[in-house]
Structures are given as C-alpha cells and as structure tokens.
Amino acid sequence: MRIVDAEVVVTSPGRNYVLLKLTTSDGHTGWGDATLNGRELAVAAYLSEHVLPLLDGRDASRITDTWGFLYRGAYWRRGPVTMTAISAVDQALWDIKGKAAGLPVYELLGGRCRDGVTVYGHASGAGIEETVAGVQDFLDRGYRAVRAQSRIPGLVATYGIGTGVSEVYEPAVGAVPMEEIWETGPYLDFVPRMMARIRAELGYGFDVLHDAHHRLTPIQAATLGRSLEPYRLFWLEDPTPAEDQSAFRVIRSHTITPLAVGEVFNSVWDCQQLIGERLIDYVRTSVTHAGGITHVRRIFDFADLHGVQTGAHGAGDLSPVGIAANLHVDMAIPNFGIQEYMGHVEPTARVFDVGYHYSEGMLHVSDRPGLGVDVNEDAARAYPYVPRQLPVVRLRDGSMHNW
Ligand code: GCO
Ligand code: MG
C-alpha cells in the first residue's frame, strides 16, 4: 500500500481550513486536518514544499515510522507549523489504515472505553444576565458542561464572546488584526460575581468552565483561582501563558480550582513539567496541533501516569476532520476528561460530510471505517482562502499583552 498522490486543499466555508488528502496505490484516500488559525498558508507551504515530495512511494501502513521520519528528519524539531503539518500526515495515514481494515479508527486504538464523548459548549453574553441565559440554553439542549464567558464591564472587547446569532464566533477577522484593550482589575472583580450568579440561579448540578486565555500573571491567576473555589469550576483554563511551566507551581500552591492548559502546545516536551509535577488537572493538546493521533496518544498516556485527564481543544478553527480524529482518541483512552465542542458555521456542512453527531451532552463517532469524515472537493473549491488575523491585545498604556 504505497502513497501515490498527495494534495493540500485550502478552503474557507466561513473559516479557513487546510486539509491534506493522501491516496494509496490500492485506491484508499485519507484526510488530515492541517489548520493553524491565522497562519494557515505557512502549514500549507510546509506541506507542499517540504513534506509531500518525501511521501511519494512510501508505505502508507508504516505510521510510526513516517512520524519519526518527518519529526527527526527535519532536524529543526517541533513548533506549531512543523507539528501541524506532521499531524495532518499522521491523521491521513490513520484514516487510510482504518479504511483498509474496514474499521473505525477507535477500534484500531484498542476499542471503546465509553459510550460517547462528553462535551462542553460555549455560552457567552454581553453581561451576567445574558451569560446565565446562555448557560441555561445549553443545559436545555442536554449539555452537562458549559464554558461561561462574558463581556467585562468597562472593556470594549473581551475574549470569547459570541455574536448573538450563534455561539460559533470567529475571532479572526480581516487582513490586519483588531486591537483590544485589556485590564486585569475589572476582570478579577467580575468573573467571581458572574460565577456566583450562575451557581445561585442554576445550581450545582452541571459543570461550569472558564477560559482566562493567557491574560494573567501567576499571582493574579492564584487570586482568581482562590476566589472561584466556592463555585467549584470543572476547570480554569490557560490562566497564564504556559510556556513558563514553573509559574504553575505558584498558582497550584494557592488554589484548589482545577487547571487546564495546552491548546497551544505541539509536543509532549511543552507539558513535561506541567504533567510530571502534577501542576495541572487537564491537558488540552489536540490531534491537529500536537503531532496527530500518534503523538497525542503518547501525551495522554504520560498524563495518565500522573493523574492528569484530557480535555482536547475543539474550537471551530479545527476542521471537522481534526475534531473527528480527537473523538476517536477520546473514545479509546482511559483518562478522558472532557472534549471541547463549538460546532462549525453553517457553510462548513457543504464541504464536510461529518460522521459524528451530538446527542444529550455527548458526541458520538460514526462506525464508518477510518476517521469517518468525507470532503466534497468541488464544494471546497467554491470557498477560496480569505486572509484573517486573530486580534491582538494592548494594556491601557499601549504596551503589548497576550490575546
Ligand atoms: C478555546 C480557545 C480558542 C482559541 C482559538 C484560537 O479555548 O477554544 O482558547 O478560542 O482562542 O482556537 O485560534
Ligand atoms: Mg482556550
């Protein structure tokens, strides 16, 4: 089973997606997600210029060997662009292996550990009342876990707020980044009041999550975590920029609010200390950005050894192929925690024929062989790439901060 054709497909049905299609000598096709929001074309070029020429004629069944060939063979290891490109090859090879075997990928990973994949939805609002109503709406639709974000009074723009017409917001707009202003004081005052209202009005019979999106210093994060303890969050996500892994010792020593980190990580080395020292409770690496199914499984196994559960990134900037790949892993690992699920904007369904479906707080993978997502290439061509940049953030004095 040799690889005889490889193609990069860039499409924008509401958001930009980069996909890789591999075809084998015996007629199987495999799809992989290579989407890196805001830097899509860098991955597309890395694949086309540096990876695809190496795949021609390779044995498609040798997934781990191909992974090592691309990771070690580049010499320049890791980084989001390289690892997203390797991820796409890896997913496409697992898709092919499943199709060749006539089995869904989770069967190849050891079979189902659970009936379905518990997901959390994204509720947000222009203020506390709207956010509480947004959480209630998710609960009405059967979700048992909801992330709550709200516009912060006094700040013009806040991370994570939907447009009002849909929870599937797209923060990346325009060829030049939008600039937002950030102030930590009002945020630290507001979030505990929001969580207090959510629990007072809706009770404790469901899980609530919150994403601080890398904005705080370690001691500010510790302060927030401690002030949220009465509301028993499922997790507080990305309180500080996690390239500084030892910062989490400070946060951890002050609060028992559970911590989730890792959507921007692309290798096990990015979370070695966080997991090895049990500084976090959930690791958020995704199949799309952290080296594919092959490498994410190793991260999740390492996490399991240290009592850390999974909570893979699943924002709408991951294509349905990447979401499906995450779901197969989620089904097959013992230490699954939760899966993020934002859904996709409407035109996406014209390009992707998605095998998984939502029901009663869970996503269910299909039993189609492989990853279970088909791509309509004619439809994909009808949505050409649109340059979109994620916002940037400044403090009141004009200095750069983390978005
Ligand atoms: C999340 C994330 C996203 C990211 C986005 C960037 O928790 O879902 O923080 O909202 O900001 O994926 O492309
Ligand atoms: Mg996040």
Side-chain angles (χ1 to χ4, degrees), residues 252-267:
R252 202 62 155 170
S253 65
H254 290 291
T255 180
I256 57 166
T257 292
L259 302 169
V261 176
E263 68 185 31
V264 299
F265 292 166
N266 47 73
S267 120

Side-chain angles (χ1 to χ4, degrees), residues 147 159 211 213 237-238 263 284:
R147 181 182 103 155
Y159 160 79
D211 189 348
H213 221 260
E237 177 184 338
D238 284 335
E263 68 185 31
R284 280 185 42 73

